[in-house]
Amino acid sequence: MKRVWLATGLVGILLLGGCLPSIGKDEDEVVQENEENVEETVMIPDVKLKDEFYQTLIPFKKSASRGLIVSNLYTKYDMQEAEEGLLRLSVQNFSPSTHYFQEGQYIDRDTARSWLSRSSSDEAGLNPPAEEGLTEEQVAEQSPNILAHIVEQNYLIMTDDKKLRLDGISIGLALNSISYSRNGRETRIDDNVLEQEGMKIAEEVVRRLRTMDGLADVPIVVGLFKQESRNSIHPGTYFATAVAERGKAAPAGWKKVNEKYVVFPASSETENYRDMNTAFEQLKQEVDAYFPSFVNIIGTGFYKDGQLQSLRIQVPIQFFGTSEIISFTQYLTALIVKYFPNVYTEVSISTSNGPEALIINEPGEKEPFVHIYGY
């Protein structure tokens, strides 16, 4: 484990899964000072489970706008994907082999709230103004809020003289695809409007970031995230990204992000995902035929550039007794290998008491990983 010195004025840290402290006494010391010449000791864990995971710093420091995502995004799925999807975009610009991940500290809670406001109520607001004389329902329909949340991630690099410095930041702009009035009326926002308005907001956000101390000359990655509806059982995705290179005042070179989540069994999208949907239906039929108890299986596939990257399956069951759970888990594991041999698949089996079993089938491994909780 390495020991380094880090300025307290820098950004906080997110402890990603797979980053574990190593055992040992060897430590390197480096120093970094902020404007007040204040130093802070931080630890860099040596162990990573996968190359695509960023190393992070200990102790953990909360994001300056921590907690706002819970009130700003509709579902837990969007909350998670807005952050995880931005990590995927960041990997393309900040290599996990050379960069360290930290939670954002530049956009604090007050700043975030101000930027998320309507421009008619806050001069710094990035959402459209509310026209005078209109009711709240009319405003929601005629001038819906576009920007729902701002996600910030920071990336540091170790210099030749063993000092940590900020090397870039990533900004995720979560955009509303549906506007809701207080009476529950929905107004859908056209994809073209989201794209155009999202790019305008991105330009303004980058311009403002450039005026902040320490951000005048670092790359800024921006991603546009389309939030799903309140009732969605799968997350939205990033649909566009661009980079403001060092010192540039605006993002340039917008690119399409071709990512999509599909829920199985798929009813309206069967034609686009026929083979996968057929395999999932057959798995479900075999489970229904073998076990008399009701089993409701729902899968969520993650597609990137049209190719299935992973499949996560939730299986809430009504079984009672350890022997029945073990029997069902063994049977389901065999079906997963049979129908999805070349797909990274995670299966979570749960009852009203909580998680009961976990199955992970990873291509290239000799056999799936299976864990039955408490046994």
Side-chain angles (χ1 to χ4, degrees):
M1 182 174 288
K2 302 174 184 177
R3 181 185 298 272
V4 298
W5 295 93
L6 178 67
T8 55
L10 290 178
V11 288
I13 302 103
L14 173 65
L15 292 175
L16 297 179
C19 298
L20 304 174
S22 62
I23 299 175
K25 297 182 179 180
D26 294 335
E27 297 175 345
D28 295 329
E29 293 187 357
V30 296
V31 176
Q32 180 164 346
E33 298 178 347
N34 64 7
E35 295 179 356
E36 292 77 25
N37 294 322
V38 177
E39 299 171 356
E40 181 184 3
T41 302
V42 295
M43 311 297 290
I44 302 176
D46 291 331
V47 177
K48 293 195 299 181
L49 293 184
K50 294 185 178 180
D51 291 339
E52 60 266 30
F53 288 165
Y54 287 97
Q55 285 183 294
T56 59
L57 308 180
I58 301 173
F60 176 86
K61 291 184 178 178
K62 297 179 181 179
S63 167
S65 61
R66 187 175 179 83
L68 287 182
I69 194 171
V70 175
S71 58
N72 292 340
L73 298 188
Y74 295 140
T75 70
K76 64 179 181 180
Y77 307 109
D78 279 338
M79 294 174 198
Q80 180 175 343
E81 184 60 22
E83 296 184 341
E84 289 188 4
L86 188 59
L87 278 170
R88 290 195 297 273
L89 298 182
S90 300
V91 167
Q92 302 172 23
N93 298 275
F94 311 117
S95 172
S97 64
T98 57
H99 289 78
Y100 302 91
F101 180 94
Q102 297 185 316
E103 279 196 346
Q105 290 288 305
Y106 290 93
I107 303 177
D108 59 29
R109 291 177 67 88
D110 291 340
T111 299
R113 287 195 178 104
S114 177
W115 291 6
L116 294 172
S117 301
R118 289 186 179 273
S119 58
S120 54
S121 60
D122 190 317
E123 62 180 11
L126 294 172
N127 274 305
E131 296 184 18
E132 295 184 3
L134 297 182
T135 65
E136 183 179 335
E137 285 74 17
Q138 290 173 325
V139 171
E141 293 176 7
Q142 299 178 27
S143 185
N145 276 331
I146 301 295
L147 182 62
H149 187 63
I150 302 173
V151 179
E152 178 194 350
Q153 297 174 352
N154 304 142
Y155 297 90
L156 284 80
I157 195 170
M158 186 80 74
T159 63
D160 292 338
D161 54 354
K162 294 294 182 73
K163 294 182 180 180
L164 285 174
R165 65 170 174 81
L166 183 70
D167 194 55
I169 72 174
S170 294
I171 298 293
L173 301 177
L175 309 176
N176 290 319
S177 62
I178 300 176
S179 174
Y180 295 92
S181 63
R182 284 192 176 181
N183 61 12
R185 182 177 298 178
E186 299 182 2
T187 300
R188 292 198 169 271
I189 303 174
D190 187 77
D191 287 348
N192 290 330
V193 174
L194 283 186
E195 181 176 313
Q196 295 172 9
E197 294 301 317
M199 290 180 179
K200 291 180 182 178
I201 294 172
E203 291 183 0
E204 179 60 21
V205 168
V206 170
R207 186 190 69 78
R208 296 180 184 185
L209 290 174
R210 288 298 187 209
T211 66
M212 296 182 179
D213 291 341
L215 300 185
D217 195 40
V218 297
I220 300 176
V221 176
V222 182
L224 303 183
F225 179 85
K226 179 182 177 182
Q227 185 179 196
E228 285 294 328
S229 69
R230 290 175 176 175
N231 299 322
S232 177
I233 59 175
H234 67 86
T237 53
Y238 282 90
F239 63 89
T241 185
V243 181
E245 300 293 350
R246 296 183 184 277
K248 298 297 182 180
W254 285 96
K255 298 178 181 178
K256 180 180 179 181
V257 179
N258 187 10
E259 296 182 349
K260 184 179 180 65
Y261 284 92
V262 179
V263 175
F264 296 104
S267 55
S268 60
E269 298 177 299
T270 302
E271 291 300 322
N272 295 330
Y273 307 97
R274 178 180 296 276
D275 292 343
M276 183 62 191
N277 195 61
T278 299
F280 198 89
E281 288 279 14
Q282 291 175 344
L283 176 144
K284 191 174 186 304
Q285 290 172 6
E286 289 205 40
V287 171
D288 291 341
Y290 191 87
F291 286 93
S293 301
F294 175 75
V295 177
N296 184 27
I297 302 178
I298 298 177
T300 303
F302 173 62
Y303 286 81
K304 184 177 179 63
D305 297 325
Q307 300 296 317
L308 181 63
Q309 304 295 310
S310 63
L311 176 65
R312 287 175 169 80
I313 302 176
Q314 299 291 329
V315 187
I317 60 177
Q318 299 178 2
F319 296 168
F320 298 94
T322 301
S323 60
E324 194 170 14
I325 290 173
I326 292 175
S327 176
F328 177 73
T329 301
Q330 291 178 151
Y331 179 68
L332 186 55
T333 300
L335 293 181
I336 294 300
V337 173
K338 174 182 177 181
Y339 287 108
F340 312 118
N342 301 314
V343 179
Y344 178 86
T345 307
E346 291 184 11
V347 184
S348 177
I349 302 173
S350 61
T351 65
S352 58
N353 295 325
E356 297 290 352
L358 174 67
I359 305 169
I360 299 178
N361 185 39
E362 190 164 0
E365 296 295 327
K366 293 182 178 181
E367 58 185 24
F369 168 83
V370 180
H371 176 69
I372 298 176
Y373 295 97
Y375 182 81

